[in-house]
Amino acid sequence: MAARGVLITFEGVEGSGKSTQVERLAKRLGVLGVSCLVSREPGGTEIGESIRVALLNPYHNEMHCLTELFLFVAARTQLVREKVLPALTAGKVVILDRFADSSLAYQGVGRELGEKLVARLNKLATASLKPHLTVLVDVPVGVGQGRKESDNLDRLERERVEFHERVRGGYLQLARRAPGRFKVVDGALPADELEGLVFRHVEELLKRKGILRE
Ligand code: TYD
């Protein structure tokens, strides 16, 4: 683990509301004077954002599932080396909207590529970096999908309900296997309530790390 900093990741199915929570958390920590790097996957670097465009293009129907996996992993490799590791070394709190668990849930379980392959590639991409805390914003697939505008969906959002159900199941299984790292919160709660819940988990971690005072 890189020195000093803290890595917090947010995960969840489409429309879980995690991006709103990422924004709110960063704002709250900013008010408390905690220096944060906020980023997202796929993306967060110039190279990663170019990869994102190729990945989400709804006309790229012919994209092979291995191509998809390699592109997500490539974007992650770049983000970790260019932004995340330097920020952690500088002692910052890094908040990521999606990280390695997304590939395990979406490509490993959703696309049925298997966890072993994805975990191996993730290890390379992340330089073995593991989040200190992963907030899984869990919401039933139907609820999440109901929050998206149906005429403006990206390539992955257009996938069948069964795919998204597998992804959700994959996430819940990951959370059960690593209860120390994962905090599962109910994405169906009102955003304000969810914000409070998330903040309590983060506060506890940052106090433990000496970043926030007791
Ligand atoms: P995005 O618009 O960021 O979706 P969301 O707001 O739900 O996070 O698009 C990212 C999409 O890419 C989303 O459908 C999840 C998917 N994804 C993977 O399939 N594997 C991955 O490793 C990552 C990071 C994302």
Side-chain angles (χ1 to χ4, degrees):
M1 174 82 232
R4 300 198 302 137
V6 170
L7 177 59
I8 300 169
T9 62
F10 281 74
E11 297 284 355
V13 294
E14 319 296 322
S16 63
K18 67 184 164 41
S19 305
T20 306
Q21 293 304 323
V22 165
E23 250 174 59
R24 288 181 175 217
L25 174 62
K27 219 181 209 169
R28 228 161 142 160
L29 290 176
V31 171
L32 294 172
V34 177
S35 169
C36 295
L37 169 77
V38 181
S39 197
R40 67 166 177 186
E41 278 206 21
T45 64
E46 202 178 323
I47 294 166
E49 290 294 329
S50 305
I51 295 172
R52 177 185 178 91
V53 173
L55 273 165
L56 300 185
N57 185 338
Y59 297 106
H60 285 177
N61 292 319
E62 63 288 348
M63 189 180 287
H64 191 275
C65 55
L66 280 173
T67 309
E68 181 182 287
L69 170 64
F70 295 150
L71 287 177
F72 279 119
V73 168
R76 179 164 308 127
T77 305
Q78 191 63 30
L79 180 68
V80 166
R81 301 316 193 288
E82 200 180 314
K83 298 271 171 81
V84 177
L85 288 176
L88 291 175
T89 304
K92 287 193 177 169
V93 173
V94 178
I95 306 172
L96 295 181
D97 189 341
R98 297 194 180 281
F99 191 51
D101 296 308
S102 280
S103 292
L104 287 168
Y106 278 79
Q107 282 65 52
V109 184
R111 296 284 190 227
E112 300 177 285
L113 286 173
E115 237 182 283
K116 253 196 183 152
L117 168 68
V118 179
R120 214 164 149 203
L121 293 173
N122 268 344
K123 198 164 181 222
L124 280 174
T126 61
S128 300
L129 189 65
K130 282 261 186 299
H132 294 90
L133 168 68
T134 297
V135 179
L136 173 56
V137 185
D138 180 53
V139 83
V141 169
V143 173
Q145 286 184 333
R147 292 171 175 170
K148 296 266 168 180
E149 278 176 51
S150 56
D151 55 348
N152 194 24
L153 298 178
D154 66 39
R155 196 175 57 83
L156 280 118
E157 286 164 349
R158 281 164 200 253
E159 276 299 328
R160 297 180 320 280
V161 173
E162 304 86 79
F163 170 81
H164 293 289
E165 292 288 2
R166 280 201 299 279
V167 172
R168 184 183 183 212
Y171 270 134
L172 290 170
Q173 201 188 353
L174 288 170
R176 275 196 296 275
R177 287 208 310 250
R181 169 165 73 90
F182 274 91
K183 297 292 173 206
V184 184
V185 295
D186 180 359
L189 288 173
D192 287 345
E193 206 174 318
L194 202 49
E195 180 185 332
L197 267 180
V198 169
F199 191 72
R200 278 200 285 286
H201 290 308
V202 171
E203 197 179 26
E204 199 250 316
L205 169 66
L206 297 189
K207 280 182 177 169
R208 220 177 336 119
K209 293 275 173 193
I211 292 175
L212 283 179
R213 250 179 274 146
E214 290 290 338

